[in-house]
Amino acid sequence: GAVVSQHPSWVICKSGTSVKIECRSLDFQATTMFWYRQFPKQSLMLMATSNEGSKATYEQGVEKDKFLINHASLTLSTLTVTSAHPEDSSFYICSARGWDKRGTQETQYFGPGTRLLVL
Amino acid sequence: AQRVTQPEKLLSVFKGAPVELKCNYSYSGSPELFWYVQYSRQRLQLLLRHISRESIKGFTADLNKGETSFHLKKPFAQEEDSAMYYCALSKSYNTDKLIFGTGTRLQVFP
């Protein structure tokens, strides 16, 4: 249980185009999902917190108009990188908050990540 | 500001040797601390959290508020422990935003 998927797993696009990344909780409902970005050999940096049915909360320094987040259902959040540029090339990882196996604690379950390369 | 520091980028040991991956944090409140692990070609997964006080795969970690540390330890390393380990902090117990350290790669040689 508690599986999170991401699609696509990798994408290559031209500069100026927009790219949408999906994050799905496959076997549980997640009212809260998180989007992270990871540069090579660096740590995960939280970009935004996505709440079902409401606007996302962005971290300081993250452009809202650049990284559009939509959390339309309890199992799906999307991240759209608008007008992508080469500096947006990175590894994007989502996580979904859900209950652990014993149902005693909430924890974050991570997706496998999406590698974006902007040419 | 909250910060998580993992001073070692790489830790190499031989099988059977003890392992300690260091993690220090800065936060004025009462944080929740986690260790996440990422095996080769796999996704990030939770290894353990301090409030559970569990031993997972032989690993333990004790929160030392005086030293603001949450070091990960295992008495006898195994080859399958080779992975990337991230220490993370949350400001509350409902796993709100996670702040990650830069990670330590553990290599266990046969």
Side-chain angles (χ1 to χ4, degrees):
Chain A
V3 177
V4 176
S5 71
Q6 279 185 244
H7 178 80
S9 55
W10 60 270
V11 57
I12 302 173
C13 69
K14 291 182 179 179
S15 184
T17 60
S18 295
V19 174
K20 180 185 284 188
I21 303 170
E22 293 185 349
C23 177
R24 292 182 185 272
S25 56
L26 297 185
D27 50 1
F28 68 103
Q29 294 182 332
T31 55
T32 304
M33 292 184 174
F34 303 88
W35 286 96
Y36 297 84
R37 184 173 180 177
Q38 186 178 31
F39 290 105
K41 299 187 179 181
Q42 295 189 27
S43 187
L44 285 80
M45 298 296 294
L46 179 66
M47 298 174 66
T49 303
S50 171
N51 298 297
E52 186 267 336
S54 64
K55 292 183 179 180
T57 303
Y58 290 81
E59 294 300 299
Q60 192 172 11
V62 178
E63 299 176 57
K64 300 178 183 180
D65 297 330
K66 175 76 172 175
F67 299 99
L68 300 179
I69 292 174
N70 183 275
H71 195 156
S73 77
L74 289 172
T75 60
L76 173 64
S77 176
T78 60
L79 168 68
T80 302
V81 183
T82 62
S83 187
H85 290 285
E87 56 266 29
D88 298 324
S89 298
S90 189
F91 194 53
Y92 292 89
I93 305 171
C94 76
S95 70
R97 195 164 75 193
W99 291 93
D100 64 9
K101 292 179 183 178
R102 285 175 272 184
T104 55
Q105 293 173 351
E106 282 192 303
T107 192
Q108 285 192 36
Y109 296 95
F110 285 81
T114 297
R115 190 163 300 281
L116 170 64
L117 177 61
V118 185
L119 302 177
Chain B
Q2 305 81 41
R3 177 177 285 186
V4 176
T5 303
Q6 293 180 250
E8 304 139 329
K9 288 189 176 180
L10 174 65
L11 183 63
S12 299
V13 300
F14 286 102
K15 176 182 174 181
V19 168
E20 182 178 53
L21 287 80
K22 291 184 169 51
C23 172
N24 287 90
Y25 67 91
S26 61
Y27 177 55
S28 56
S30 293
E32 183 170 9
L33 274 298
F34 305 80
W35 276 100
Y36 280 84
V37 60
Q38 187 170 29
Y39 299 102
S40 180
R41 301 183 186 280
Q42 293 188 27
R43 69 189 67 197
L44 204 62
Q45 57 184 289
L46 178 66
L47 180 62
L48 53 81
R49 59 205 299 173
H50 89 269
I51 62 172
S52 299
R53 297 183 177 276
E54 294 175 310
S55 173
I56 306 295
K57 298 184 179 182
F59 285 97
T60 58
D62 292 318
L63 178 61
N64 186 321
K65 292 186 177 181
E67 297 182 357
T68 60
S69 67
F70 188 56
H71 303 327
L72 183 68
K73 300 177 183 178
K74 184 169 182 176
F76 308 103
Q78 303 299 314
E79 289 179 67
E80 55 265 29
D81 295 328
S82 296
M84 194 74 181
Y85 291 81
Y86 292 95
C87 183
L89 174 154
S90 173
K91 293 192 288 184
S92 64
Y93 287 99
N94 65 350
T95 61
D96 205 343
K97 301 188 294 185
L98 286 172
I99 299 165
F100 283 88
T102 49
T104 297
R105 180 168 298 283
L106 174 64
Q107 288 183 333
V108 182
F109 295 107

